[in-house]
Amino acid sequence: MQNTPAPAGITRRNALTVTGGVLAAATLAQAMPAFAAEDQAADAIVVGHGLAGLVATAELAAAGRRVLLLDQEPEASLGGQAFWSFGGLFFVDSAEQRLMGVKDSRELAWQDWLGTAGFDRGVGDPSGQDHWAYKWAEAYVDFAAGEKRSWLAGLGVQWFPIVGWAERGGGLADGHGNSVPRFHVTWGTGPAVVEPFEKKVRAARADGRVTFKFRHRVDGLVTTGGAVTGVRGAILEPSTAQRGKPSSRTVVGEFELRAPVVVVTSGGIGANHDLVRRNWPARLGTPPKSMITGVPAHVDGRMLAITEEAGGRIVNPDRMWHYTEGLRNYDPIWPGHGIRILPGPSSMWFDATGRRFGTPDIPGYDTLHTLKSITGTGYDYSWFVTTQKIIAKEFALSGSEQNPDLTEKNVWKLLSRIWQTPEPIEKFKKNGVDFVVATTLPELVRGMNKLTGDNLIALDGLQRQIEARDREIDNPYTKDVQVMGIRNALAYPGDTLSRTASVHRILDSGAGPLIAVRLNILTRKTLGGLQTDLSGRVLNAAGDPVPGLYAAGEVAGFGGGGVHGYRSLEGTFLGGCLFSGREAGRAAAAATAT
């Protein structure tokens, strides 16, 4: 990853170096009134006011530490990406699972995690890229099977009682995927996950223990004698940009702030497509020329290179998590704004040329394998061919704003899903550029070819494959793996109630109209990052902690520089921010105890 240079021009640090200290500092303060000479006393500086930053700040403040919380964005974006999330959390053997008849255990979850992560980079070697990632994974699964739910419930967080079944894998028992449903949707979605920690931090602010520093862009970490002792950077002009909207990058001043510890919680690289392509691994095929973006523009990855320059080690930069079911948002908030379909198991999935994908490239089964299959076709998109009956029951959209019933905790809106297609789905079907709706298959194919302009879909080929699949519906058994998966889903009460349509023929006119959905590749998560030990201390190339430097959340690969390994079980990104933010905050508080 390339370093992003600080803005050109004189800085306070340069002035002190060139002119020899106190006299120059006084002269500079008079000559440059826009410069903020802010050597405020603080016990800790937290860089990034997303979920991990809020959790770390809350822990520090609870221990009585004075904290400066910095972010380049305005106050409207407090909570970061987590605010926009669906609010899914990974729990093991929860009350909700037991209610749905799901038998889960720490042992089964650990088996699934290892089969999914595929740790293979020096797990037993203290200098290996996966050494601390593996340890973080063990600790996180223990957390998810232990106090995670009770800790959050004690803060007032609640969950929708039907547990979702994400990343089903579709392989062997010890391979990738969740053996059982573990995706717990927070009642109130992402904002409800953020809320208790934002309240804690705002209360600490009122008590004088936390100071917000919005519009403070960190351009470098200050080091003294090999230890990180502060941050420096640019003050950006005030902004009235709404949450998620791009904000101005006009610089109006500079700052330098000091504290014995700095906690970096700045997020990943998902909005920086150049950086995504630069780190794209060969195992996922050719980097897409066209992608849509699942995170706001400020998720730019700047702090990775800045922290690396201060001595931190970046590991597993080639591990990333991007979705294959992206829709172009007809009402975008940030540039290139994409929304992911969270699909049930029934839509038929075809590549750009109209060839049906095989196992495990089935909706909801193996995200990264499907991503590789798509890039291997030479095209940056694929297709769902489905029915109104399927989208009414099986389509959900990622994002708190796309789920007003859950986000607003509106029971009546939620119940309306029983008898009608959710309104956000219908709006995308009507207004989104990626939907084709037709009453007949020939009409559908004409619409698909018109949408892309490539004329790649042949009617006879598509019809042959759909009819072959439809013939498999006549018996309760089948050789079609996807149909097997549908019947398997219907054996789980949660899917029967809310996520899987009854088995039917795609060409059944009673299930129509027919719908084709063009699926775009959607950037989202960084799985690698700054390597940290179990206290969240950032490690250097020699494997030693960089004094005074901590990291948490996505910038640290959600713990250890890559707690997920190569792939995720889903519901673990928010949880990774919660857990790593808590551990780093507590460790930093202990390190600054007097």
Side-chain angles (χ1 to χ4, degrees), residues 51-214:
L51 181 59
L54 288 174
V55 175
T57 300
E59 292 292 339
L60 282 157
R65 308 294 178 266
R66 294 165 299 156
V67 188
L68 303 179
L69 179 56
L70 280 64
D71 201 283
Q72 63 184 349
E73 294 307 301
E75 187 170 2
S77 288
L78 192 68
Q81 297 175 61
F83 180 91
W84 299 107
S85 74
F86 196 37
L89 292 169
F90 177 95
F91 294 131
V92 178
D93 191 26
S94 68
E96 290 78 15
Q97 286 176 300
R98 293 191 292 273
L99 178 66
M100 300 306 300
V102 175
K103 296 179 180 179
D104 199 6
S105 66
R106 192 268 180 198
E107 292 73 26
L108 183 60
W110 183 234
Q111 172 181 296
D112 288 347
W113 197 288
L114 288 179
T116 296
F119 294 120
D120 60 2
R121 296 175 175 175
V123 169
D125 180 0
S127 65
Q129 293 188 75
D130 279 340
H131 180 74
W132 287 103
Y134 183 95
K135 290 180 180 293
W136 270 95
E138 282 188 300
Y140 182 73
V141 172
D142 287 343
F143 178 59
E147 65 172 313
K148 179 182 178 183
R149 187 187 181 284
S150 60
W151 174 59
L152 291 171
L155 297 173
V157 184
Q158 297 176 308
W159 297 275
F160 185 58
I162 297 178
V163 184
W165 195 355
E167 282 297 299
R168 306 183 188 206
L172 300 177
D174 58 354
H176 170 57
N178 283 296
S179 298
V180 298
R182 296 191 178 103
F183 191 82
H184 296 66
V185 178
T186 301
W187 187 232
T189 66
V193 179
V194 172
E195 182 181 16
F197 302 100
E198 180 179 346
K199 284 183 176 179
K200 283 176 174 288
V201 171
R202 288 193 181 279
R205 178 194 194 185
D207 292 342
R209 287 169 288 151
V210 171
T211 301
F212 287 128
K213 294 288 183 182
F214 304 112

Side-chain angles (χ1 to χ4, degrees), residues 284-343:
L284 292 181
T286 303
K289 294 179 181 178
S290 175
M291 297 182 286
I292 56 178
T293 309
V295 292
H298 62 260
V299 186
D300 53 19
R302 292 182 73 256
M303 283 304 300
L304 281 162
I306 290 168
T307 310
E308 184 179 37
E309 186 179 15
R313 182 191 185 195
I314 295 174
V315 295
N316 303 311
D318 61 315
R319 293 179 181 170
M320 51 186 70
W321 188 259
H322 306 303
Y323 289 112
T324 50
E325 314 99 331
L327 302 174
R328 299 176 192 275
N329 196 340
Y330 66 88
D331 186 19
I333 297 171
W334 52 79
H337 189 176
I339 296 294
R340 183 203 174 199
I341 298 172
L342 286 73

Side-chain angles (χ1 to χ4, degrees), residues 16 19 77 118 121 186 188 192 206 220 251 307-308 312 324 363 386 399 419 447 507 539 556 578:
L16 290 173
T19 61
S77 288
R121 296 175 175 175
T186 301
V251 175
T307 310
E308 184 179 37
T324 50
T386 189
W419 61 83
L507 296 180
L539 306 178
L578 291 166

Side-chain angles (χ1 to χ4, degrees), residues 264-275:
V264 178
T265 61
S266 54
I269 67 173
N272 189 335
H273 288 197
D274 289 339
L275 201 51

